[in-house]
Amino acid sequence: MVDEGTLKALEDKVAELKRLIQQDGLELSEELSLLERKLEELRREYFAKLSDWDRVKLARHERRPTGIELVEKVFDDFYELRGDRLLGDDQALRGGLAKLGGKPVVVLFHQKGRTLEEQRRYRFGMAGPAGYRKAARLMGIADRLRLPLISLVDTPGAYPGVEAESHNIAGTIARSIETMLSVRAPTVAVIVGEGGSGGAVAIACADRVLMLEYAIYSVISPEGAAAILWKDQKATPKAAEALGLSAPKLRALGVIDEVLPEPLGGAHTDPDATADTIREALMRHLDELFSLPLDELLALRYKRYRDVGSYREIETGSFLQDL
Amino acid sequence: MVDEGTLKALEDKVAELKRLIQQDGLELSEELSLLERKLEELRREYFAKLSDWDRVKLARHERRPTGIELVEKVFDDFYELRGDRLLGDDQALRGGLAKLGGKPVVVLFHQKGRTLEEQRRYRFGMAGPAGYRKAARLMGIADRLRLPLISLVDTPGAYPGVEAESHNIAGTIARSIETMLSVRAPTVAVIVGEGGSGGAVAIACADRVLMLEYAIYSVISPEGAAAILWKDQKATPKAAEALGLSAPKLRALGVIDEVLPEPLGGAHTDPDATADTIREALMRHLDELFSLPLDELLALRYKRYRDVGSYREIETGSFLQDL
Amino acid sequence: MPIWKDEKKKNRRDYVEVTPSRAEDLWLRCQSCGELVFRKKLAQNSYICPHCGAYFFLSAEERIASLVDEGSAADVTAPLVANDPLGFVDRKPYPDRVKEAQRETGLLDAVKVVEARIEGHPVVLAVMDFRFIGGSMGSVVGEELCLAMERAIELGVPFVLVAASGGARVQEGVLSLMQMPKTVLVRGKLARAGIPYIAVFTYPTTGGVLASIASLADITLAERGTKIGFAGPRVIEQTTKEKLPPDFQTEDFALARGMVDRVVRREELRSELGKILSLLDGGRYGG
Amino acid sequence: MPIWKDEKKKNRRDYVEVTPSRAEDLWLRCQSCGELVFRKKLAQNSYICPHCGAYFFLSAEERIASLVDEGSAADVTAPLVANDPLGFVDRKPYPDRVKEAQRETGLLDAVKVVEARIEGHPVVLAVMDFRFIGGSMGSVVGEELCLAMERAIELGVPFVLVAASGGARVQEGVLSLMQMPKTVLVRGKLARAGIPYIAVFTYPTTGGVLASIASLADITLAERGTKIGFAGPRVIEQTTKEKLPPDFQTEDFALARGMVDRVVRREELRSELGKILSLLDGGRYGG
Ligand SMILES: [Zn+2]
Ligand SMILES: [Zn+2]
């Protein structure tokens, strides 16, 4: 069975060959095309029977394009805005103005960082109170200026720390949700990597929620679920399966509106194509939303979130007998 | 000429006599009435030619009733609410729910403290970002629940400190002003002691602004003005005169709506009577404001603050010649 | 298991039990002083040990009884039962877990909603029950809270939420995460209708419930002995290697940081709510 | 007098002059490198010393020239002059002070308002002038800012404020304090009209101006070398006996604490504003 280690080794080899051909002008094109065919084959095999745990690993892939990389490819311009006007500027959750198809938009995104130093500085995309307050501030700009709000979600979750708890991280997430739901302009969220729990939902309460094919969106990390529910770290892949965190499953549940296909091999194998897909989808959904008058837009949003959930009504009498 | 030292000495003597009579049952009522007559006489003399600097000293009088003392006397109940949901709870600016004439209200007030320990804890009524954020939070409750908002202002100013600047004290004052101006219910502010600059105006942008007779309201402390404008600390009384900080002068300017008379000798000589005056005035103004429909209330508020200021229009041509 | 104990003051009253008792036990043993207490007697005393003052664990029903005027509560919990949208199985299938919890608690899910009076004031009161899968918020809890708020709007009476929750209902996946925007949305409707909303944080108020509906009340009380926080201490220590302060996520920690309006002893909770409700009573501005 | 100098980097470009020059001088001496610079040449270089990169002091007029497209500015400052509501006399009468400042600056008061274009984008631009009684906000400044915002609403173009203020106009007493709610009020109208508001903090942005209109922009830029704070360092040290950090109330201090969106070098301010304005251009949601 192909595993991600084999894949990665082959990917590295292909990359190395390409480098040699380009840099040193070596005549290795035959070897390259051979390897590329092999890689393609293995990928097909691997992606044909992708487990949800494989998807988690893809969503967390070290080469997966990060927030800022996607933002720069998806949007025509990006002008970063900083600070929550009180606590500071949290670089784990960034945002600013941008253009999309000639239209001004407000963008929010988690930033995980690629290098170790970046990851430390961005705390792997785990934002704290200043981050969620900044998010709410930028949502306020979108609201006042009637600019569409677009968020790219990629976080393991909100930052769990003493400082964060001291500044009411929970309350700042609640305010972020409240503010996002009240923006008087179209809102679209795209889960592009990890959609980790409250830290994700804080900027994902949009009119349309899209999701990259190999992104995940989950109420808890598979590791956390394994520890709490299975009391066994080895149950992590099983937990990933159970949590229903994959894009197709969430689409089936109606939690997300559209799965955005990734290149075979995942977004990191072709960030440009991935960005193109995101851009095309954003423009399509924004076009639809722009055609709605404000009261209808808000009514649809209200209905979407008011009605979410899965339960059934029973007759209490019979229920009590059942127990 | 009578000065406040002579007055205070006599006040202390009267208090001592009263104590002796009550506690030890000594027969000193004749001496007491003699002294009281003398005190009354001196007070009349002193208050007849009260300078603005005298008023400053009265407004800062160590026995002047503090915020919480007035709140407990003016309102039927007071239920304190705490915290800004982010930074902490600033006890220099307090607030909560209360009743006034059977009607629920939201109350805000600066708290200076009486004992040294209290003064340290309350920073002499100088609130920081957490205080002004709490104020805005409570204004939000008044807004949502359509409860009248009443503020009692008594502060030397916002707290000037590194921590306060680090958490954007200026921005929190601006937000407090913004929030107070948008409360969808009647608002009344009473300057009861010191109305010190931005720290005062942050909770004083009301539909009606009342002022105790010997309270002050100023853009800068007389000491500060003396230092900056006169470059001479001895000019402080002169600065107090120049700044127009007294209730009658501010009434004449139209900045405040009503001067609430204090007992002869100042609020501290009869806190109960002072509280009665405040209560009566609050109820009268609230009655008037309650009779207005919301759009009219907000329109009047808008007009009041849109039109405030003193300037004249000129013909630019002639102006340039004048220079 | 004690979760709050003021060691310095040797104050046994600050001991809180977090392990539910079995509903069928008529006598309960106080885990603080070891005495056996008659359940009925305990109920009359807000479930506070008459011997040592320790707080016993409260079910939703017991909590309601301890807060509302006798005989005033009408159960309006909607007859809703959780589906199993994910076909979730951990060590047991989710439907079995739900059924077990139902059997144990007599509740349909982790919240009970009543129309009642508190010291004479009519309210819609929603009380979460920690016994039911850790008071976790899934689709049913989310819907019940929304229906409760909508009922409060309809009746024009204050909404009171007694929170007790470990967070989101993991077994419903992202659908339980969605209960965060859902409840926040309807809280917005409540606010626009000018209906007061009072939250009481009891043991424990954490995770997704704290990061949505619970944090958005007009007035927030914390019961003495509760735990208030977004992330669990173990997660924090594992992720950040930080040493946690001794009072971390206690009610006093929250009060000092401006997160709650008051810390209230259990025996005073009812009168405290009564005070607030009476202060909100009377002619508001109708302009 | 230098107010900002990056000692570590020995970067002379970070030197900012805060003493105004006399308008009649054709040649100005750079206080950083000592060179004499021809004023016209300086103007073409955003008032940055061509020899060492130091920032010269900017009047409102010079600031406007450095920001807007050549020939695009129409002065729309209302012909308003301060009254003397208090009959204020310190070392000299307030009316004399005003007249002096008018003579010195050619301005009616501490703000100049123009309709102009910045890199092609129409704006209403209000620029404060620190030479005019320390850029203090009295009745005239308050009214001019309100009129400017109302003009932006009327024209449907962004409002840009270049702040430079020591705070409230002390000589007008509480009336100048009242300019805080006044400007905040009209900023609210601007927001409801969906008009973008960009603030630029230049040396210095402090006191009552910072605590009202300046703090409420959608987007806030800080010019390199500015000073941003509510209370003066001397007041803070006297009141609290605190030792102030070396970067206290600098633009980097403000940026690190989330108070501004960007720190921008003077030579980039115009293109930076152009970028923002162009990003706000185009079809917004009109639903
Ligand atoms: Zn006991
Ligand atoms: Zn030079």
Side-chain angles (χ1 to χ4, degrees):
Chain A
M1 212 184 85
V2 196
D3 66 8
E4 71 271 14
T6 320
L7 261 187
K8 191 176 173 306
L10 205 55
E11 280 174 0
D12 288 347
K13 245 183 227 165
V14 168
E16 172 68 7
L17 260 187
K18 278 187 180 163
R19 201 185 55 74
L20 284 175
I21 291 169
Q22 235 186 347
Q23 249 177 39
D24 307 345
L26 295 182
E27 191 37 75
L28 296 165
S29 51
E30 205 163 323
E31 286 83 346
L32 178 63
S33 75
L34 213 79
L35 268 186
E36 278 183 327
R37 246 172 300 154
K38 178 73 187 158
L39 177 57
E40 167 97 10
E41 195 181 300
L42 286 188
R43 271 181 180 156
R44 281 196 194 290
E45 197 185 325
Y46 181 76
F47 280 85
K49 45 184 182 178
L50 209 57
S51 73
D52 282 354
W53 177 236
D54 291 331
R55 287 171 184 269
V56 173
K57 285 183 284 188
L58 275 168
R60 297 174 180 169
H61 196 288
E62 59 171 21
R63 285 207 302 273
R64 193 166 181 87
T66 67
I68 187 67
E69 288 158 6
L70 287 176
V71 162
E72 282 172 353
K73 286 178 196 298
V74 169
F75 299 96
D76 297 332
D77 282 297
F78 171 62
Y79 189 86
E80 182 160 10
L81 300 177
R82 290 174 185 248
D84 75 331
R85 303 295 181 259
L86 197 83
L87 295 172
D89 182 59
D90 187 340
Q91 285 285 298
L93 206 174
R94 296 167 62 181
L97 303 173
K99 283 244 172 155
L100 182 72
K103 282 202 182 101
V105 297
V106 173
V107 178
L108 286 172
F109 59 97
H110 294 102
Q111 182 57 23
K112 280 187 171 176
R114 181 154 317 285
T115 65
L116 276 177
E117 198 282 326
E118 278 179 4
Q119 287 168 344
R120 193 192 49 76
R121 181 149 44 99
Y122 302 145
R123 296 194 310 262
F124 296 91
M126 293 187 283
Y132 290 103
R133 278 180 46 86
K134 176 170 63 180
R137 178 171 87 82
L138 268 53
M139 292 168 186
I141 295 177
D143 176 60
R144 279 193 296 282
L145 305 185
R146 301 288 199 279
L147 301 176
L149 177 75
I150 295 164
S151 63
L152 305 185
V153 177
D154 184 19
T155 179
Y159 188 70
V162 173
E163 179 76 8
E165 296 282 337
S166 298
H167 286 136
N168 196 5
I169 177 73
T172 61
I173 289 174
R175 284 280 166 225
S176 182
I177 294 172
E178 186 183 46
T179 310
M180 188 156 188
L181 289 172
S182 63
V183 169
R184 288 166 299 171
T187 57
V188 183
V190 190
I191 319 291
V192 296
E194 281 186 274
S197 193
V201 81
I203 64 165
C205 310
D207 295 319
R208 300 285 164 90
V209 183
L210 320 179
M211 196 163 164
L212 281 183
E213 187 174 3
Y214 306 125
I216 60 167
Y217 193 5
S218 186
V219 65
I220 189 173
S221 71
E223 292 88 344
I228 292 172
L229 298 178
W230 280 265
K231 322 267 178 201
D232 177 6
Q233 212 51 68
K234 274 176 284 172
T236 300
K238 214 184 296 178
E241 205 66 38
L243 285 166
L245 46 66
S246 77
K249 285 182 181 170
L250 287 162
R251 177 73 198 92
L253 270 181
V255 167
I256 64 161
D257 300 282
E258 186 177 343
V259 180
L260 307 182
E262 295 189 31
L264 182 71
H268 62 282
T269 64
D270 195 344
D272 288 324
T274 307
D276 287 344
T277 307
I278 295 174
R279 187 187 323 104
E280 180 278 323
L282 285 175
M283 288 178 63
R284 186 160 34 80
H285 285 280
L286 281 180
D287 267 355
E288 284 175 32
L289 295 168
F290 259 71
S291 73
L292 301 173
L294 180 62
D295 53 355
E296 201 173 322
L297 181 81
L298 296 181
L300 285 172
R301 188 185 300 163
Y302 197 92
K303 191 174 159 34
R304 176 192 187 118
Y305 288 99
R306 175 64 189 83
D307 291 350
V308 70
S310 174
Y311 52 84
R312 63 187 186 281
E313 197 156 341
I314 54 153
E315 285 182 49
T316 19
S318 73
F319 159 75
L320 289 171
Q321 284 159 15
D322 277 5
L323 285 182
Chain B
M1 212 185 83
V2 196
D3 65 7
E4 72 271 15
T6 320
L7 262 186
K8 189 173 174 310
L10 203 55
E11 280 173 0
D12 288 349
K13 246 183 226 162
V14 168
E16 173 68 7
L17 261 187
K18 279 189 180 161
R19 203 185 54 74
L20 286 174
I21 291 168
Q22 238 187 345
Q23 251 178 38
D24 307 345
L26 295 183
E27 190 37 75
L28 295 165
S29 51
E30 205 163 324
E31 287 83 345
L32 178 63
S33 77
L34 214 78
L35 269 185
E36 278 184 326
R37 246 171 302 154
K38 180 70 187 159
L39 177 57
E40 166 97 10
E41 194 181 302
L42 287 188
R43 271 182 179 156
R44 280 196 194 288
E45 197 186 324
Y46 181 77
F47 280 85
K49 43 185 183 179
L50 209 58
S51 74
D52 282 355
W53 178 236
D54 291 332
R55 287 172 185 268
V56 173
K57 284 182 285 188
L58 275 168
R60 296 173 179 169
H61 196 287
E62 59 172 20
R63 285 207 303 273
R64 193 166 180 87
T66 68
I68 186 66
E69 287 158 9
L70 287 176
V71 162
E72 281 172 354
K73 286 178 196 298
V74 169
F75 299 96
D76 296 333
D77 281 297
F78 171 62
Y79 189 87
E80 182 160 10
L81 300 177
R82 289 174 187 249
D84 76 330
R85 303 293 180 261
L86 197 80
L87 296 173
D89 182 58
D90 187 340
Q91 285 285 298
L93 207 175
R94 296 167 62 180
L97 302 173
K99 282 243 171 154
L100 183 72
K103 281 201 183 101
V105 297
V106 172
V107 179
L108 287 171
F109 59 98
H110 294 102
Q111 182 59 21
K112 279 187 171 176
R114 181 156 314 288
T115 64
L116 277 177
E117 200 281 327
E118 279 178 3
Q119 287 169 343
R120 194 191 50 75
R121 181 149 44 100
Y122 302 145
R123 296 193 311 261
F124 295 91
M126 294 186 284
Y132 290 103
R133 278 180 46 85
K134 175 170 62 180
R137 177 171 87 84
L138 268 53
M139 292 168 187
I141 296 177
D143 176 61
R144 279 193 296 282
L145 305 185
R146 302 289 199 277
L147 301 177
L149 177 75
I150 294 164
S151 63
L152 304 185
V153 177
D154 185 18
T155 178
Y159 188 71
V162 173
E163 179 75 9
E165 296 281 338
S166 298
H167 286 134
N168 197 6
I169 177 74
T172 61
I173 289 174
R175 285 279 168 226
S176 181
I177 293 172
E178 187 183 46
T179 311
M180 187 155 188
L181 289 172
S182 63
V183 169
R184 288 166 299 171
T187 57
V188 183
V190 190
I191 320 291
V192 296
E194 281 186 276
S197 192
V201 80
I203 64 165
C205 310
D207 294 320
R208 300 285 164 89
V209 183
L210 320 178
M211 195 162 164
L212 280 183
E213 187 174 3
Y214 306 126
I216 59 169
Y217 192 5
S218 186
V219 64
I220 189 174
S221 72
E223 292 87 344
I228 292 171
L229 298 178
W230 278 264
K231 321 270 179 201
D232 178 6
Q233 212 51 68
K234 275 178 283 172
T236 300
K238 214 183 295 178
E241 204 66 36
L243 285 165
L245 46 67
S246 76
K249 285 182 181 171
L250 287 163
R251 177 73 198 91
L253 271 182
V255 168
I256 64 161
D257 299 283
E258 186 178 343
V259 180
L260 308 182
E262 295 189 29
L264 183 71
H268 62 282
T269 64
D270 195 343
D272 288 323
T274 307
D276 287 344
T277 306
I278 295 174
R279 188 189 320 106
E280 180 279 323
L282 284 175
M283 287 178 64
R284 185 160 35 80
H285 285 280
L286 282 181
D287 267 356
E288 285 175 30
L289 295 169
F290 259 71
S291 72
L292 302 173
L294 180 62
D295 53 355
E296 201 173 322
L297 181 82
L298 296 181
L300 285 172
R301 187 185 299 163
Y302 198 93
K303 192 172 157 37
R304 177 194 186 116
Y305 288 99
R306 175 64 188 83
D307 292 349
V308 70
S310 174
Y311 53 83
R312 62 187 186 281
E313 197 157 340
I314 55 152
E315 286 183 46
T316 19
S318 73
F319 159 75
L320 290 171
Q321 283 159 16
D322 276 6
L323 285 181
Chain C
M1 186 179 74
I3 58 126
W4 201 92
K5 197 167 181 178
D6 193 333
E7 292 292 348
K8 263 186 301 192
K9 292 194 197 151
K10 303 264 178 237
N11 187 354
R12 304 264 283 221
R13 297 174 59 89
D14 296 325
Y15 181 100
V16 177
E17 294 191 358
V18 300
T19 316
S21 56
R22 285 174 307 171
E24 64 269 28
D25 290 338
L26 291 181
W27 291 84
L28 300 177
R29 186 173 302 282
C30 173
Q31 293 169 44
S32 171
C33 69
E35 295 281 340
L36 270 178
V37 195
F38 192 44
R39 191 177 207 124
K40 278 221 173 123
K41 184 124 195 178
L42 206 54
Q44 287 160 1
N45 199 33
S46 308
Y47 292 84
I48 299 168
C49 175
H51 303 287
C52 75
Y55 291 6
F56 277 68
F57 183 92
L58 281 191
S59 69
E61 201 170 354
E62 289 160 348
R63 172 69 72 180
I64 290 167
S66 81
L67 290 181
V68 308
D69 300 351
E70 217 188 315
S72 76
D75 190 341
V76 294
T77 317
L80 304 179
V81 173
N83 285 334
D84 181 19
L86 306 182
F88 196 96
V89 182
D90 47 72
R91 285 171 306 163
K92 59 181 86 163
Y94 177 47
D96 293 0
R97 233 177 239 286
V98 169
K99 229 166 225 162
E100 239 169 62
Q102 287 171 333
R103 227 175 280 129
E104 237 170 70
T105 61
L107 298 171
L108 293 178
D109 209 301
V111 68
K112 204 173 160 77
V113 183
V114 295
E115 285 178 29
R117 289 179 177 269
I118 297 178
E119 303 214 327
H121 305 280
V123 296
V124 171
L125 170 66
V127 177
M128 303 185 72
D129 195 313
F130 188 63
R131 297 173 303 164
F132 200 107
I133 317 186
S136 55
M137 177 161 74
S139 298
V140 171
V141 170
E143 180 67 18
E144 295 282 5
L145 293 180
C146 290
L147 290 171
M149 288 187 272
E150 285 164 349
R151 187 176 290 266
I153 295 171
E154 207 181 307
L155 299 175
V157 304
F159 172 58
V160 179
L161 168 65
V162 178
S165 174
R169 177 81 47 93
V170 170
Q171 293 86 351
E172 292 182 24
V174 177
L175 280 178
S176 50
L177 217 49
M178 288 299 109
Q179 306 309 305
M180 295 170 68
K182 174 166 173 165
T183 52
V184 169
L185 188 80
V186 179
R187 191 280 175 262
K189 195 175 176 186
L190 192 76
R192 283 190 298 279
I195 299 295
Y197 164 26
I198 306 167
V200 182
F201 292 177
T202 70
Y203 183 87
T205 300
T206 61
V209 167
L210 185 66
S212 60
I213 183 66
S215 273
L216 297 175
D218 295 310
I219 296 159
T220 306
L221 306 178
E223 186 180 43
R224 175 58 75 201
T226 185
K227 175 181 151 186
I228 301 165
F230 180 61
R234 223 179 325 165
V235 175
I236 297 175
E237 283 178 325
Q238 276 172 11
T239 313
T240 69
K241 320 287 174 210
E242 287 180 303
K243 225 184 108 61
L244 305 183
D247 69 340
F248 191 59
Q249 296 185 335
T250 62
E251 67 280 20
D252 287 329
F253 180 90
L255 183 71
R257 280 151 192 86
M259 287 171 64
V260 300
D261 288 296
R262 295 229 172 176
V263 172
V264 180
R265 304 193 65 83
R266 179 180 290 175
E267 54 271 44
E268 289 155 7
L269 207 43
R270 179 196 191 131
S271 65
E272 203 82 0
L273 286 171
K275 245 187 267 176
I276 295 169
L277 291 166
S278 105
L279 277 169
L280 292 171
D281 235 28
R284 296 199 229 154
Y285 174 67
Chain D
M1 187 179 75
I3 58 126
W4 201 92
K5 198 165 180 179
D6 192 332
E7 293 292 349
K8 262 187 299 193
K9 291 192 196 153
K10 302 268 179 235
N11 187 353
R12 305 264 283 221
R13 297 175 59 89
D14 295 327
Y15 179 100
V16 177
E17 294 191 359
V18 299
T19 316
S21 56
R22 286 174 304 172
E24 64 269 27
D25 291 338
L26 291 180
W27 291 85
L28 300 176
R29 186 174 301 282
C30 173
Q31 293 169 44
S32 171
C33 69
E35 295 281 341
L36 269 177
V37 195
F38 191 45
R39 190 176 208 125
K40 279 222 174 123
K41 184 125 196 176
L42 206 55
Q44 288 160 1
N45 199 33
S46 307
Y47 292 85
I48 299 168
C49 175
H51 302 288
C52 74
Y55 291 7
F56 277 68
F57 183 92
L58 281 190
S59 69
E61 201 171 353
E62 290 161 347
R63 172 69 71 180
I64 289 167
S66 82
L67 290 180
V68 309
D69 300 352
E70 217 187 314
S72 77
D75 190 341
V76 294
T77 317
L80 304 180
V81 172
N83 284 335
D84 181 20
L86 306 183
F88 196 95
V89 182
D90 47 71
R91 286 172 306 162
K92 59 180 86 163
Y94 177 46
D96 293 0
R97 234 178 239 285
V98 169
K99 230 168 225 159
E100 238 169 63
Q102 287 171 334
R103 227 176 280 130
E104 237 169 70
T105 61
L107 299 172
L108 293 178
D109 210 301
V111 68
K112 204 173 159 76
V113 183
V114 296
E115 285 178 28
R117 288 179 179 270
I118 296 178
E119 303 214 325
H121 305 280
V123 296
V124 171
L125 170 67
V127 177
M128 304 185 72
D129 196 312
F130 187 62
R131 296 172 305 164
F132 201 106
I133 317 187
S136 55
M137 177 162 73
S139 298
V140 172
V141 170
E143 180 67 17
E144 295 283 5
L145 292 180
C146 290
L147 290 171
M149 287 186 273
E150 286 163 349
R151 188 175 288 266
I153 294 171
E154 207 181 307
L155 299 175
V157 303
F159 173 60
V160 179
L161 168 66
V162 178
S165 174
R169 177 81 46 92
V170 171
Q171 292 87 350
E172 293 182 25
V174 176
L175 280 178
S176 51
L177 217 50
M178 288 299 110
Q179 306 310 305
M180 295 169 68
K182 174 167 173 164
T183 52
V184 169
L185 188 80
V186 179
R187 192 279 176 263
K189 195 175 174 186
L190 192 77
R192 284 190 298 279
I195 300 295
Y197 164 26
I198 306 167
V200 182
F201 292 177
T202 70
Y203 182 85
T205 300
T206 61
V209 167
L210 185 65
S212 60
I213 183 65
S215 274
L216 298 175
D218 295 311
I219 296 159
T220 305
L221 306 179
E223 186 181 42
R224 175 59 75 200
T226 186
K227 176 181 149 187
I228 301 164
F230 180 61
R234 224 179 325 164
V235 175
I236 297 176
E237 283 178 325
Q238 277 171 12
T239 313
T240 69
K241 320 287 173 211
E242 288 179 302
K243 224 184 109 62
L244 305 183
D247 69 340
F248 190 59
Q249 295 186 336
T250 63
E251 67 280 19
D252 286 330
F253 180 90
L255 183 70
R257 280 151 192 84
M259 287 170 63
V260 300
D261 288 295
R262 295 229 172 174
V263 172
V264 180
R265 303 194 65 83
R266 179 180 291 175
E267 54 270 42
E268 288 155 6
L269 206 44
R270 180 197 192 129
S271 66
E272 203 83 359
L273 286 171
K275 244 187 269 175
I276 295 169
L277 291 165
S278 104
L279 277 169
L280 293 171
D281 234 28
R284 295 198 230 155
Y285 174 66

